Every structure is written in structure tokens, then in C-alpha cells.
Amino acid sequence: MATLAHSFVRQEVLPRVADEGDENGMGFVIIHPGELGVSILAHWWIQGSVLCQHIYRKLYSATEPMDTVKRPVIACVWELALMNAEQEAWRKTMMKGEPNPLGYMGAWADFEAA
């Protein structure tokens, strides 16, 4: 799954980030092996405070990934908790007069996974 995530980010996400521009050079990736399939959610920050997302979803039984345009999933409840932790870390470390990128990268979610 980590190899798949690296490939997805390199081949699909990074070109989108470059094409769209205005990125902050920071983001995060969630790899979620679910009961029915795997989800890889890549996120990056633009314009100082806007979070962008590109998702890869594939059922274990399928040969091709799901079409995330026709089925515009945002995230499952577990992924949303991680996304919320990331936005809180971003707000606390980067939304200041002097942004702290190292503080953001060193922030950890303050909750226990179920």
C-alpha cells in the first residue's frame, strides 16, 4: 500500500499540485486499508489556508480504481478525524504572523485511534 501511495502521489498528485500552483509546499497523505478496499487521500495546502484533496479508492475485488469524480467521496469518519487534526495543527502553527513549518510537521493527532 505504501508503494501504491508513493506511485499515486508521484504520478497523479504532484502534477496536479504543480499545474494548480499557489501551493505552500506542505501536505499530508492518509492510507486507509478498509474492509472492502484501500483509500489513499492526498492533501496539500494552497493560498495559506485552503486544503486541496485528490483521492484514490479501489475495492480489493476490483481491477480498476473507483471513479472519484462520479462518486465524489470526501472521507470516512476515521479519515475525517485525521483531517481535522491536520487542520488544527495547520491553524495553530502556520496561521500566524510567523508561520512555523517545523511545528506543523512535528504536530501529532491528539486522539486515540479506534
Side-chain angles (χ1 to χ4, degrees), residues 51-67:
L51 184 61
C52 295
Q53 179 185 58
H54 186 47
I55 300 175
Y56 172 95
R57 296 186 75 222
K58 183 177 173 291
L59 297 173
Y60 295 129
S61 61
T63 57
E64 294 293 321
M66 298 172 88
D67 184 340

Side-chain angles (χ1 to χ4, degrees), residues 24-70:
N24 294 72
M26 300 178 85
F28 58 98
V29 175
I30 299 170
I31 303 171
H32 184 178
E35 288 184 26
L36 301 176
V38 63
S39 296
I40 302 169
L41 300 85
H43 304 84
W44 64 98
W45 295 97
I46 66 168
Q47 302 171 347
S49 63
V50 177
L51 184 61
C52 295
Q53 179 185 58
H54 186 47
I55 300 175
Y56 172 95
R57 296 186 75 222
K58 183 177 173 291
L59 297 173
Y60 295 129
S61 61
T63 57
E64 294 293 321
M66 298 172 88
D67 184 340
T68 57
V69 173
K70 290 182 180 176

